[in-house]
Amino acid sequence: MTHSSPYVITIGIIAIFFILDRVLKFLRREPRQSFFKLVSIIFIWIVVIMIIAFPVSVKKVLRMVGADTDLNTLVFIGFLFVILAFLRLLGIIEKLERDITHIVREEAIRDFRHSLQVRKKRYES
Amino acid sequence: MKPVIVIPVFNEGQVIAAVVKGLQKKGFREIIIVDDGSTDSTWDQCRKLKVYLVHHSLNRGKGAAIQTGIQVAKLLNADTVVTFDGDGQHIADDIKRLLQQLRYHDVVIGSRFLKRNTIPLIRRFANILGNIITYLVCGIPVTDSQCGLRAYGKNALDSINLDTERYEYDSQVLAEIHRLRLRYIEVPVHVKYTQYSLHKSTKQGVSSGFATLFKLLVSS
């Protein structure tokens, strides 16, 4: 069952705009864009669209996965948070790895420049 | 054309001298070795050789080491960079063939599968899988997405910019070729699998293969 009121259409357009905007930013490799952000934004907006456009179906799905009672819903939401936290952690580790590599590389190149200068001086003298 | 050979190495103390001497015998004098945080005798062995030496204080992976090597090559005003594995599986003669093709292309990719080479079955299978995934993710069909023997012209050196660190680097280069619309070609190359190279613990295994796949998907 779909609700096609102006309110649903407006939210739908806004959601599509935000999803496309984030996908384009990610594809263009703009600064501060990460895979985690992309997945999170898409996930959140898809959930919003689903809840607004298909409220009956969402209820059915929730009942099917057993998340219609209070405790089960809590467990289900907790599970989603764990997945999101895991993805977030992966993103942070990835960034840390890149930062470490950057520092290691800078140090290696600085040492190389120094050894090149020493070699040049030795050659000149 | 001033080709600079970049060799990323990690614990290759047993073979690195022979690899470098093989290159020098074929007339390649400009060689950069990037020691990626080796814990064996690699650094001491390299210091005895007539090469440019760069040292990563920590192991950061093959991709990171190649990227460092390319930056150092740029410092040396290189207009051509050839990447060459440090475990002795490549043959120096193949470089000339790559350089010939570099006159007409921005990137030349060596392929172990376009030539009749003795390659273990498991590696053939892993490579086919890697090629399919690389094609799906990066959009470029190649026969050897993981070959370390590649040549980059000035245009490619100036435009390719990657921050991937480990084995996903080889596939990410293909994604950059696709994104930047660079001209590329695959050239058949020889490969020598020795007992040493086959049993090296740092080579890509099943678990690291999955890690590479995940990183490839995340970083593309």
Side-chain angles (χ1 to χ4, degrees), chain B residues 15-33:
Chain B
V15 291
I16 191 61
V19 170
V20 169
K21 279 172 189 163
L23 285 164
Q24 287 171 336
K25 213 182 263 179
K26 295 292 173 187
F28 298 107
R29 302 278 166 219
E30 301 277 289
I31 299 170
I32 298 168
I33 294 182

Side-chain angles (χ1 to χ4, degrees), chain A residues 85-100:
Chain A
F86 177 68
L87 282 171
R88 178 95 185 117
L89 209 63
L90 279 180
I92 291 168
I93 292 169
E94 193 74 10
K95 191 190 171 299
L96 275 174
E97 291 248 13
R98 276 184 199 158
D99 289 347
I100 293 168

Side-chain angles (χ1 to χ4, degrees), chain B residues 35-58:
Chain B
D35 176 18
D36 190 26
S38 295
T39 50
D40 67 347
S41 63
T42 302
W43 181 249
D44 295 327
Q45 292 293 326
C46 291
R47 287 185 72 170
K48 295 176 194 160
L49 303 165
K50 283 188 177 173
V51 293
Y52 293 108
L53 256 181
V54 190
H55 180 65
H56 276 185
S57 51
L58 289 170

